[in-house]
Amino acid sequence: MEELLNLYQTMGISPAVYAYGEETLDRIKDRFAAIDKIAEYNQAKVLSAMQKNKVSAACFAATTGYGYDDVGRDNLEKVYADVFHTEAALVRPQITCGTHALTVALSANLLPGDELLSPVGLPYDTLQEVIGIRPSPCSLAEYGVTYNQVDLLPDGGFDYDGIRSAINEKTKLITIQRSKGYATRPTFSVKQIGDLISFCKSVKPDVIVMVDNCYGEFVETVEPSDVGADMVVGSLIKNPGGGLAPIGGYIAGTKRCVDRCAYRLSAPGLGQEVGANLGLMPSLYQGFFLSPTVVAGAEKGAIFAANLYEPLGFKCVPNATESRHDIIQAVELGSEKAMVAFCKGIQAAAPVDSYVDPIPGDMPGYDSQVIMAAGAFVQGSTMELSADGPIREPYAVYFQGGLTWAHAKLGILMSLQKMVDAGLLTL
Ligand SMILES: *Cc1c(COP(=O)(O)O)cnc(C)c1O
């Protein structure tokens, strides 16, 4: 398309980068079709939950103060519970982010003397202070909750023998992180998570299993709550907010676990009865409605990036051809300079703040410097096109999001362009 190429050229994309992108796209058409099928299924799943719960304009009204009898909020929680096939859900703008949602779920369900087990290696950076792996005031460790960890085997598989011997009489809750986060291990499929949950429950039937579902929602047709998780937890400025939710987190799970979470979030005795929606219901409902197709667009972007970068000699996790279980694409760039160039490209392609230059800096909750590129309508939203990564070996950027596939494509082409412009590679 001559017209498109001309426009892209005025935006800084060279004909060579564009042509390389088109060649790449030709190879991955079938995968895009498969993603559209999953999105179609998940769209119907969300739609039928909204219909079943009779979502109406009354659900969009703002409430203030205590938020008693907030029908919009209560109904949204029923919609989430139906989509995740759980007894209950807590979906709140008062949950400030994913880390907060996970903190609520953990601290509500672990008491002094209990032990938390991660059978999948070190949890996400920000959770390390929550747990007390890195000491912090108010960590679970400070409250007398101990932590145990079993690393993955060298091939990325579960260490079943290690897990069996790590589960003891104190083990109360097992946390499984679905997505790789800032690690370079593979992301687990829902099937793998189901196998792990079955194993853990065969060793200790009453153990609570929580899945950190960040970035995984709607990538498959099933969720960890379909395969035995007692709680699935995530952020509304990632997948399930569909790019429209300006804040929030969710916990879907058994009534017993979710009730405790609500008591922890507000206060014992108050639970889910309080919490005004402050006028955010339209974007929380509409974002959830859009999420399956937004996730599909982001996943296409991730697959495009892997197929663009891998042939140029950069290791991609997941690689160009393997199946996907979240929307994150890690590209190992091998140097700080390349990370900066890549992130400049993502930033330059953004609808917001496209004129700023990302540079590495310190971030609360992270123990090395981090570079972040994001020009988002919602600050920090990684459902929107963004790239980030800690400045440390193997100098991997974690690329994710894109509210539309067309924007994801342009951002990735721009990242490649900046790498070429910096003399880091030639096409
Ligand atoms: C993003 C993320 C979190 C934390 O979410 P925030 O909203 O950034 O606090 C936790 N776990 C995983 C796997 C994540 O990707």
Side-chain angles (χ1 to χ4, degrees), residues 73-250:
R73 175 198 68 203
D74 293 349
N75 207 34
L76 181 65
E77 292 179 332
K78 288 189 190 135
V79 170
Y80 263 71
D82 282 336
V83 165
F84 287 101
H85 303 126
T86 55
E87 291 169 2
L90 184 67
V91 186
R92 299 288 167 128
Q94 285 80 14
I95 300 177
T96 54
C97 61
T99 305
H100 187 197
L102 290 157
T103 303
V104 168
L106 291 172
S107 52
N109 288 285
L110 287 159
L111 294 174
D114 289 340
E115 189 159 281
L116 168 67
L117 171 67
S118 171
V120 295
L122 200 57
Y124 189 75
D125 291 57
T126 58
L127 282 184
Q128 295 172 20
E129 280 168 87
V130 173
I131 295 167
I133 300 169
R134 277 185 282 131
S136 171
C138 299
S139 67
L140 290 170
E142 233 191 34
Y143 285 94
V145 174
T146 55
Y147 172 72
N148 199 351
Q149 177 179 315
V150 178
D151 289 332
L152 296 172
L153 295 171
D155 69 357
F158 303 128
D159 177 4
Y160 284 114
D161 291 336
I163 296 167
R164 187 187 291 104
S165 51
I167 296 175
N168 59 53
E169 68 287 349
K170 285 170 61 189
T171 310
K172 174 73 167 295
L173 196 153
I174 291 179
T175 179
I176 300 172
Q177 184 179 309
R178 177 172 175 180
S179 172
K180 61 186 159 302
Y182 283 150
T184 38
R185 64 141 165 107
T187 286
F188 305 125
S189 67
V190 173
K191 163 95 180 48
Q192 282 175 298
I193 290 172
D195 292 345
L196 179 56
I197 294 173
S198 303
F199 177 80
C200 293
K201 296 216 171 194
S202 76
V203 178
K204 188 164 189 180
D206 61 347
V207 78
I208 297 168
V209 178
M210 178 190 89
V211 174
D212 174 350
N213 209 22
C214 282
Y215 290 127
E217 297 92 349
F218 297 133
V219 171
E220 300 186 38
T221 55
V222 286
E223 298 292 338
S225 43
D226 292 312
V227 294
D230 299 286
M231 288 186 282
V232 286
V233 183
S235 164
L236 300 197
I237 62 168
K238 293 178 180 170
N239 303 17
L244 292 187
I247 190 170
Y250 79 91

Side-chain angles (χ1 to χ4, degrees), residues 215 219 239 295 298-299 302 326-329 382-383 399-401:
Y215 290 127
V219 171
N239 303 17
V295 167
E299 210 189 338
D326 67 12
I327 61 165
I328 303 185
Q329 181 61 51
T382 43
M383 190 66 254
F399 162 88
Q400 66 267 310

